[in-house]
Amino acid sequence: MVTEAPYYHQTYQESDVFLHAFRNRIPLLLKGPTGTGKSRFVEYMAHTTGQKLITVSCHEETSSTDLIGRYIIKGAETVWVDGPLTTAVREGAILYLDEVAEARPDVIVAIHSLTDHRRELFIDKLGETVKANENFMLIASFNPGYQRGFKELKPSTRQRFVALNFAYPEAKIETEILVNETGVDRDIAKKLVSIGGKIRNLIELGLSETVSTRLLVDAAKLIHSGLPKRLSCHVAIVEPLSDDEQARESLKDLIDLMI
């Protein structure tokens, strides 16, 4: 069954970089803040190339065992079950490690031999080395500004990838994204983008994360479905950004003036 391609608006030459990395068997690293389209880009390119996509959302408990596989008890016997990494290596799928810096250090160790000329995975529990299918591609993403100095990728790891930097799109493109993603009126989309741009420049509020395109899309969806504009912005933008009462009130006042 043919499915519709995920909507993605190219802002640089991301597609070209992806295709050349894929053809040359080079891993790809996507850098940038949350909600800037990294995951959507991977979905779009997987659809474009016709490749199977396996996504792992990494967190602090994600281990190499979770990726490679484990023995499980099935009935009266113990059987081996491949993890998502091993499955992708064997089948020739795209493996997307979202927020890879969040994972435990042994995950990085596990993928090292897949990110150089060897392109192979050693499965210690099986005593087996698996050569990657020619269509296997490893993609990882991380947010360089998140918990800076605490969860970063080492230079020795970063230099195993070619990298693309994702940032918030310029206003015209971000407006197009909102309109295409949600069907919201263009004038409303422009106002939401203006709100996003204003908040991104409010460093005095001390927000740990600023407003992402994803949050603007959520607000636009709520407005398009009939929720009042200001309430939509309050619940989709203000509340996810901060728990500080003063900061939230400042954001609400700003939004009420702009929409």
Side-chain angles (χ1 to χ4, degrees):
M1 182 175 66
V2 177
T3 57
E4 186 177 350
Y7 176 76
Y8 179 78
H9 195 301
Q10 187 161 230
T11 59
Y12 183 51
Q13 289 180 283
E14 307 99 304
S15 297
D16 290 342
V17 173
F18 182 103
L19 292 173
H20 281 272
F22 178 72
R23 292 168 188 156
N24 287 282
R25 312 291 183 258
I26 303 173
L28 181 62
L29 180 65
L30 310 180
K31 308 184 298 177
T34 182
T36 50
K38 300 187 294 296
S39 296
R40 177 60 64 89
F41 171 67
V42 176
E43 292 172 2
Y44 171 77
M45 291 309 302
H47 186 279
T48 299
T49 58
Q51 295 296 111
K52 178 180 178 181
L53 173 63
I54 300 174
T55 298
V56 178
S57 297
C58 298
H59 53 80
E60 60 186 10
E61 296 300 324
T62 303
S63 68
S64 59
T65 297
D66 296 324
L67 296 185
I68 296 173
R70 52 168 52 88
Y71 282 104
I72 65 170
I73 297 175
K74 191 174 183 179
E77 60 179 350
T78 302
V79 297
W80 172 263
V81 177
D82 282 343
L85 174 59
T86 306
T87 299
V89 168
R90 293 189 197 274
E91 296 182 0
I94 295 172
L95 179 73
Y96 177 42
L97 299 178
D98 190 17
E99 299 295 350
V100 67
E102 296 289 312
R104 286 167 47 173
D106 61 326
V107 167
I108 303 299
V109 174
I111 65 174
H112 265 194
S113 58
L114 288 165
T115 57
D116 58 25
H117 66 281
R118 291 170 290 178
R119 278 177 57 86
E120 62 184 27
L121 173 66
F122 177 64
I123 306 176
D124 181 55
K125 293 177 181 177
L126 297 180
E128 177 185 359
T129 298
V130 182
K131 284 287 186 180
N133 182 293
E134 64 174 10
N135 289 324
F136 168 74
M137 183 176 189
L138 177 63
I139 306 176
S141 73
F142 88 113
N143 182 352
Y146 180 64
Q147 295 182 321
R148 186 175 297 278
F150 178 60
K151 291 189 175 180
E152 293 283 345
L153 291 179
K154 294 180 180 179
S156 59
T157 298
R158 293 172 60 143
Q159 290 183 28
R160 292 173 176 269
F161 295 79
V162 295
L164 282 169
N165 185 63
F166 282 70
Y168 300 115
E170 62 182 58
K172 182 179 178 180
I173 293 175
E174 196 162 37
T175 299
E176 290 298 324
I177 291 172
L178 265 59
V179 171
N180 279 278
E181 280 282 291
T182 71
V184 74
D185 181 81
R186 186 172 297 275
D187 288 339
I188 296 296
K190 287 180 178 179
K191 289 180 180 179
L192 290 172
V193 169
S194 294
I195 288 170
K198 189 71 173 179
I199 294 175
R200 288 165 190 161
N201 290 319
L202 288 178
I203 57 174
E204 63 269 21
L205 290 182
L207 300 174
S208 58
E209 291 281 354
T210 191
V211 60
S212 65
T213 302
R214 181 188 297 136
L215 291 186
L216 297 180
V217 167
D218 289 345
K221 286 179 178 178
L222 294 177
I223 293 171
H224 184 61
S225 68
L227 195 68
K229 295 190 288 292
R230 289 179 177 176
L231 178 58
S232 296
C233 292
H234 291 173
V235 299
I237 298 174
V238 176
E239 296 298 338
L241 283 180
S242 179
D243 295 321
D244 180 78
E245 183 176 354
Q246 186 173 351
R248 285 189 289 120
E249 287 303 317
S250 296
L251 290 172
K252 286 179 181 178
D253 290 344
L254 170 66
I255 287 169
D256 290 350
L257 286 171
M258 296 184 68
I259 199 166

